[in-house]
Amino acid sequence: MSILDGFRDKDFLEQITLLNDIAANRPTDALPDLLSLFASPLQDASVDSMVVIALNALLADNEQYAVECLHSDDPKLRLLCIRTAGEHRFASAVEPLSEIAQTTDDSDLALESLSALARIGSEAALPAFRKHLSSNDPLAAGLSIEMCGHFNDVSALPWLKEVVRRSLTGDRYQTCDVPTWKAIQALGDLGTEEAVQFLASHLHHKNPIARRLITDVMVELGEKAVPALLDSLHSSDEDVRILAANVLGFTGLRSGGNGLVAAFDRGHADTPNVRYAFYEAMGRIGTMKNLICLMDGLSETDELLLMAVVGGLERHVNPGMIRNITERLRQEDEQTARLAQAIINSKALDIFRALHGDPACADILMEHLLQSRDEEILAAFREALESLGTDAAGADLKRLSEAAAERGSGRKALAVDDSRSMLALHRALLAELGFDVALAANGQEALEHLQENGPVELVVTDMNMPVMDGMQLVEQLRNDPDFESATIVMVTTEKEASQRGLAENAGVNAFITKPFRPEQLKEMLTQLLGL
């Protein structure tokens, strides 16, 4: 006698209780009746769902039977057993699942079989994954690409490269589909010299999401990626050199830092855009050679470049550096004012504290600090002065407290950039225009700030950032009724019309190409917002 005898005549509560007991205790003699209930459901969603749960529990304890049912003529039972085999990683299911995946004309069945094989994780399934690398189903293709990367299947390399190349044909670059996304990651998983060189050659992919994925993969590859990235520093494409420098900075590797200095000395940082990227990367790495190069960069007259130099040095303050900066400030020429302003705008608090012991330097820095209208900067330097605890610092703190800093107009702006120096420039410039300014290092941080603090009138965002790039941020903002009305200005080094076309379609109001003079952005915002 089966415990399911008369099941259809029982009331709902009895049925659910009984099926729960079967799922928990897994009596094997209940299997035939469960299969009958599965084949001819009661048409009660709750009960039928519990039948599936109980049957899955019994099949989990009976691998041989579940694998045999992979050949069942009942499509419902076969599908259940495919999912059970994957969920419970039945090794004996690899061969029949591979056969199904390679022979079926049903794309849904193929995807289910591939998904189960992926969960089982046996290299014996590689032929099935290889067969579906070029599948018309993007999910099947993406999963197959992912697994070929997971198993380091070098034979898939030509197709992985082809997937990325195809993503650049026609208007395909406008979206980063699943196969492209998985192909980039699989190339990183392979990590061969050919794969890494190929990724490096596509650092400037037209699609911003693909470009960010390539950047992330190259950073994860670390030392493996350095030779290819150093080669890219010699590219004739300015944007490739910028992106290669950025990635080298993110790796933080000494070999990358030395390569940056060598490329700098050979004249490959021949434009302000590229020099800016080199300085930022050197600051992140901080080798002795990098710091010497940054010290030489203190003679830069461009405000943004000088802030990149100061921001890099702020990470690695040492006595020799402070002596050098002190000598430069004491010269009291035009560069003195630029350097002092860069220290203030960059919020270089460690450099400020180290310089404050020299009365001449302290006076110069305080002169520029007292002119700031940025409450965040003023608050940060108040804390720096308090931490010094000297009589001179106390006097300057009193001067700072007595100075009536102009308040913002209540107009709110958000600046988004992964570059510390760019954020510092935006903060100073927007505060001067009367905005209360918030900062974010990437699109995700920007969204979190907005969700916590409410909408802003203006968003100034970079295009290329880790975690979430500017394009994704704009799309999110324009699709959210709470934030869709913000005026958005995108800052970019991109020159191709295609990039601006994508950004315009996403909802960007205006563009400015860096490096730019602060007056250019001020003029743009004045016209755009009627300031």
Side-chain angles (χ1 to χ4, degrees):
M1 179 177 175
S2 169
I3 61 174
L4 288 173
D5 282 348
F7 180 84
R8 294 177 186 272
D9 297 326
K10 298 181 186 296
D11 63 32
F12 174 79
L13 185 58
E14 286 181 301
Q15 290 173 335
I16 293 297
T17 301
L18 187 54
L19 291 170
N20 270 323
D21 288 341
I22 292 173
N25 299 315
R26 305 184 182 188
T28 56
D29 59 353
L31 185 57
D33 287 334
L34 274 179
L35 288 169
S36 177
L37 289 170
F38 179 71
S40 300
L42 276 67
Q43 305 305 320
D44 181 308
S46 297
V47 176
D48 292 338
S49 176
M50 279 303 305
V51 168
V52 173
I53 293 172
L55 184 54
N56 182 59
L58 290 182
L59 290 172
D61 280 350
N62 196 333
E63 177 175 340
Q64 181 179 351
Y65 185 78
V67 172
E68 289 174 1
C69 288
L70 292 175
H71 301 288
S72 172
D73 293 331
D74 180 352
K76 284 175 49 184
L77 179 58
R78 181 171 55 184
L79 180 58
L80 176 64
C81 289
I82 288 174
R83 291 175 176 173
T84 300
E87 179 182 352
H88 298 285
R89 294 175 171 80
F90 291 160
S92 62
V94 171
E95 184 177 344
L97 286 172
S98 297
E99 181 182 352
I100 294 171
Q102 292 181 80
T103 59
T104 183
D105 294 326
D106 184 331
S107 60
D108 291 335
L109 184 59
L111 180 58
E112 290 283 356
S113 301
L114 292 169
S115 299
L117 287 167
R119 297 189 72 173
I120 295 170
S122 170
E123 194 168 351
L126 263 177
F129 292 122
R130 288 177 186 141
K131 178 178 173 59
H132 287 275
L133 284 172
S134 57
S135 172
N136 291 326
D137 180 346
L139 294 179
L143 180 58
S144 298
I145 289 168
E146 179 181 6
M147 295 309 295
C148 284
H150 174 73
F151 290 119
N152 292 302
D153 181 18
V154 179
S155 70
L157 180 57
W159 179 251
L160 300 180
K161 293 165 64 175
E162 180 62 20
V163 171
V164 177
R165 290 193 191 100
R166 287 187 181 185
S167 70
L168 291 164
T169 60
D171 60 359
R172 289 187 179 185
Y173 71 88
Q174 295 186 19
T175 59
C176 180
D177 59 17
V178 173
T180 302
W181 164 33
K182 294 298 184 181
I184 291 169
Q185 292 185 323
L187 286 163
D189 288 338
L190 292 182
T192 64
E193 183 177 351
E194 182 180 354
V196 176
Q197 286 286 352
F198 179 81
L199 286 172
S201 70
H202 287 77
L203 279 171
H204 196 222
H205 194 289
K206 285 184 179 181
N207 182 273
I209 296 176
R211 190 161 57 239
R212 178 171 56 81
L213 288 169
I214 293 171
T215 295
D216 291 346
V217 167
M218 295 294 273
V219 172
E220 289 174 9
L221 284 168
E223 202 68 63
K224 277 187 177 181
V226 170
L229 292 168
L230 294 181
D231 287 344
S232 297
L233 294 179
H234 304 279
S235 171
S236 59
D237 186 329
E238 176 180 312
D239 288 317
V240 171
R241 281 179 279 155
I242 290 170
L243 291 166
N246 288 341
V247 177
L248 286 167
F250 290 139
T251 67
L253 294 169
R254 177 179 295 272
S255 56
N258 292 339
L260 282 165
V261 173
F264 193 98
D265 291 343
R266 292 190 185 102
H268 294 298
D270 54 352
T271 69
N273 279 343
V274 180
R275 277 209 308 287
Y276 176 86
F278 272 53
Y279 286 143
E280 287 234 308
M282 290 176 185
R284 289 190 179 100
I285 297 172
T287 66
M288 183 58 67
K289 289 182 178 180
N290 290 160
L291 294 180
I292 291 172
C293 193
L294 285 171
M295 293 299 296
D296 291 341
L298 289 171
S299 61
E300 293 280 2
T301 58
D302 180 277
E303 182 176 356
L304 183 56
L305 293 180
L306 190 54
M307 287 177 67
V309 170
V310 170
L313 292 173
E314 169 70 3
R315 293 185 171 99
H316 311 281
V317 174
N318 63 63
M321 175 197 305
I322 296 304
R323 284 195 298 272
N324 191 309
I325 297 176
T326 299
E327 292 173 4
R328 289 172 182 266
L329 287 175
R330 283 177 172 175
Q331 291 175 8
E332 297 188 12
D333 53 15
E334 291 183 359
Q335 190 64 9
T336 297
R338 296 190 191 100
L339 179 54
Q341 193 63 55
I343 292 171
I344 300 303
N345 287 345
S346 297
K347 207 161 64 173
L349 301 178
D350 287 340
I351 291 177
F352 176 82
R353 292 188 190 94
L355 291 171
H356 196 270
D358 183 284
C361 291
D363 285 345
I364 293 168
L365 293 171
M366 287 302 301
E367 177 186 344
H368 287 271
L369 180 58
L370 289 167
Q371 295 172 13
S372 176
R373 297 173 58 183
D374 187 332
E375 184 55 38
E376 183 178 336
I377 284 181
L378 294 171
F381 281 96
R382 284 191 198 103
E383 290 184 9
L385 288 167
E386 288 172 355
S387 69
L388 287 172
T390 63
D391 291 342
D396 283 339
L397 184 60
K398 184 178 180 181
R399 291 171 63 195
L400 199 57
S401 299
E402 291 173 349
E406 293 186 32
R407 298 291 176 181
S409 63
R411 305 179 82 166
K412 295 182 179 180
L414 174 63
V416 192
D417 203 299
D418 61 326
S419 162
R420 182 183 175 202
S421 53
M422 279 299 301
L423 286 178
L425 179 66
H426 289 320
R427 183 181 58 229
L429 187 151
L430 294 173
E432 188 175 334
L433 290 175
F435 283 98
D436 295 328
V437 188
L439 307 178
N442 56 63
Q444 186 61 47
E445 282 190 17
L447 285 177
E448 291 171 358
H449 170 84
L450 292 170
Q451 288 162 359
E452 182 175 343
N453 298 282
V456 297
E457 179 180 351
L458 171 67
V459 176
V460 181
T461 179
D462 191 25
M463 175 180 280
N464 296 315
M465 295 178 289
V467 185
M468 179 186 289
D469 58 52
M471 202 81 75
Q472 291 174 291
L473 172 62
V474 174
E475 290 172 350
Q476 294 266 14
L477 295 181
R478 292 308 188 211
N479 287 322
D480 191 321
D482 292 333
F483 309 125
E484 63 181 350
S485 62
T487 298
I488 301 176
V489 175
M490 182 165 279
V491 183
T492 179
T493 61
E494 308 297 340
K495 298 184 290 295
E496 297 88 354
S498 61
Q499 297 299 309
R500 292 202 169 190
L502 286 174
E504 286 171 350
N505 291 337
V508 172
N509 297 99
F511 300 86
I512 189 164
T513 302
K514 59 184 178 184
F516 55 83
R517 290 178 292 104
E519 291 74 18
Q520 291 176 282
L521 184 54
K522 288 181 188 176
E523 183 178 348
M524 172 185 287
L525 294 177
T526 298
Q527 295 177 354
L528 201 58
L529 301 173
L531 297 174

